[in-house]
């Protein structure tokens, strides 16, 4: 009850100071879908992900189970066939924006971003695989559970960074 009164007072003071309208609970913000429930808040980018797949013509491709081929080493490919750098940068850029709600893409997007200056067919195939992974996981996002304090646990494969062949 106290929370609702406090919120009401805040809204009134804001309306006096600024020209504003109360639109209720937030549903979308900068392409991020916000689902507010009693047990927490879930954020995702389903709609944006679908638009990305459409934009790059991946909507009819089969999805894959992981964003990068397990054990695959991606490095400089000086002898590889060059691809359209502008298109490659567009793919990497759209994937970078998805990281806001998809931290599971952080590693692979960071990896493929190393090759934006001179991408080859190998790099383009890796970027396209991330899009195919996205197709099968469009409903993924981040859930912030109400009232729960969580520890952040991270894992690293320290051998992998050395295998990037001086990217």
């Amino acid at each position: 009850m106290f929370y609702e009164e406090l919120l009401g007072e805040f809204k009134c003071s804001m309306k006096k100071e600024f020209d504003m309208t109360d639109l209720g609970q937030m549903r979308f913000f900068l392409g991020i879908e916000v689902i507010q429930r009693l047990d927490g808040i879930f954020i995702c980018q389903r709609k944006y992900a679908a638009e990305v797949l459409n934009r790059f013509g991946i909507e009819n491709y089969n999805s894959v189970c992981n964003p990068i081929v397990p054990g695959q080493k991606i490095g400089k490919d000086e002898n590889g066939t060059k691809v359209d750098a502008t298109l490659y940068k567009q793919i990497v850029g759209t994937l970078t924006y998805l990281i806001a709600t998809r931290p599971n893409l952080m590693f692979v997007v960071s990896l493929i971003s190393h090759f934006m200056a001179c991408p080859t067919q190998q790099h383009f195939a890796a970027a396209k695989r991330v899009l195919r992974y996205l197709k099968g996981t469009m409903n993924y996002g981040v859930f912030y559970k109400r009232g729960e304090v969580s520890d952040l646990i991270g894992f690293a494969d320290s051998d992998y960074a050395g295998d990037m062949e001086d990217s």
Side-chain angles (χ1 to χ4, degrees), residues 17 37 44 46-47 57-58 65 78 83 105 110 121 123-124 128 144 157:
E17 192 67 31
R37 303 184 334 197
C44 67
R46 265 186 285 251
K47 187 174 183 255
I58 305 295
C65 296
E78 294 171 359
V83 295
L105 297 177
S110 176
Q121 192 61 44
H123 306 129
F124 187 74
K128 199 154 61 166
Y144 296 99
D157 181 356

Side-chain angles (χ1 to χ4, degrees), residues 32-102:
I32 297 174
E33 184 177 356
V34 180
I35 300 170
Q36 299 180 47
R37 303 184 334 197
L38 292 177
D39 60 339
I41 297 174
F42 178 71
I43 61 172
C44 67
Q45 291 172 287
R46 265 186 285 251
K47 187 174 183 255
Y48 180 73
E51 290 169 3
V52 167
L53 296 176
N54 226 5
R55 177 179 176 188
F56 297 113
I58 305 295
E59 69 275 2
N60 294 323
Y61 282 45
N62 292 328
S63 62
V64 293
C65 296
N66 40 32
I68 191 169
V69 176
Q72 180 182 17
K73 307 293 185 205
I74 301 174
K76 274 189 176 176
D77 188 15
E78 294 171 359
N79 299 323
T81 305
K82 306 290 184 240
V83 295
D84 182 0
T86 301
L87 177 61
Y88 186 79
K89 289 174 186 178
Q90 289 172 349
I91 292 172
V92 173
T94 57
L95 290 171
T96 301
Y97 185 64
L98 279 164
I99 290 173
T101 61
R102 298 291 302 272

